[in-house]
Amino acid sequence: MTGAELIMIGFGLAVQALLGAWHLYGLRLIKKIRPVGDEHPHLGVLAAFWGLGILHFSEIVLGAAAYALALTIPAAGNISQVEGSQAAELLYFSGTTFTTLGLTHQQASGPIRLLVMLQSLGGFMLITWSATFVYTIWGELFRREG
């Protein structure tokens, strides 16, 4: 492995650790502020859903920032830019990578591909964690409705 590849792996693992902590505290905040009253119990589930959408979008933005930072390293490689601003392109690339779709007109080349792979793994883990969170909230609602 080259030095640039090792740097991208280390950077990707650091980004994953940051996103894991960000997600944990985001979930705690969502759980704390969601409505839990008996008058409109489904609002708690909807609030969690909307909160998770915002949380995931912020994680995609953090991924785009990580790509922007990585691209300042000359040996990192590049992500092809087809149209629009670099910020919009990186946000789009980060979103498709985070959701593990990976279906985009953009291509990563060079060591930065390792960062892309780690973001895809992290996104899958965070989305799964979120699904479990919503499932738990939904289960609480059904137990209360009895």
Side-chain angles (χ1 to χ4, degrees):
M1 273 201 174
T2 67
E5 291 169 338
L6 291 173
I7 288 170
M8 285 299 112
I9 289 173
F11 185 54
L13 292 172
V15 169
Q16 258 193 356
L18 174 66
L19 287 174
W22 181 260
H23 198 77
L24 172 65
Y25 288 105
L27 291 178
R28 291 180 63 145
L29 178 63
I30 292 167
K31 187 169 183 174
K32 185 176 183 176
I33 65 173
R34 73 183 171 87
V36 290
D38 290 332
E39 189 173 323
H40 301 287
H42 294 90
L43 285 180
V45 177
L46 288 173
F49 179 80
W50 295 327
L52 287 169
I54 293 167
L55 180 60
H56 284 292
F57 183 73
S58 72
E59 292 161 350
I60 289 167
V61 170
L62 289 171
Y67 289 128
L69 182 61
L71 289 170
T72 64
I73 302 169
N78 70 35
I79 298 170
S80 66
Q81 303 294 311
V82 177
E83 57 191 50
S85 71
Q86 182 179 18
E89 293 293 329
L90 291 177
L91 187 61
Y92 175 74
F93 184 79
S94 178
T96 58
T97 301
F98 182 89
T99 58
T100 68
L101 295 174
L103 304 173
T104 177
H105 58 283
Q106 297 167 314
Q107 295 278 331
S109 61
I112 201 166
R113 292 176 302 141
L114 299 169
L115 177 59
V116 172
M117 181 253 329
L118 286 167
Q119 187 198 17
S120 183
L121 173 63
F124 174 76
M125 292 166 57
L126 295 176
I127 290 169
T128 303
W129 191 358
S130 293
T132 303
F133 179 75
V134 169
Y135 180 79
T136 301
I137 289 172
W138 189 250
E140 290 171 2
L141 173 65
F142 275 118
R143 282 191 291 281
R144 276 201 320 254
E145 288 183 344

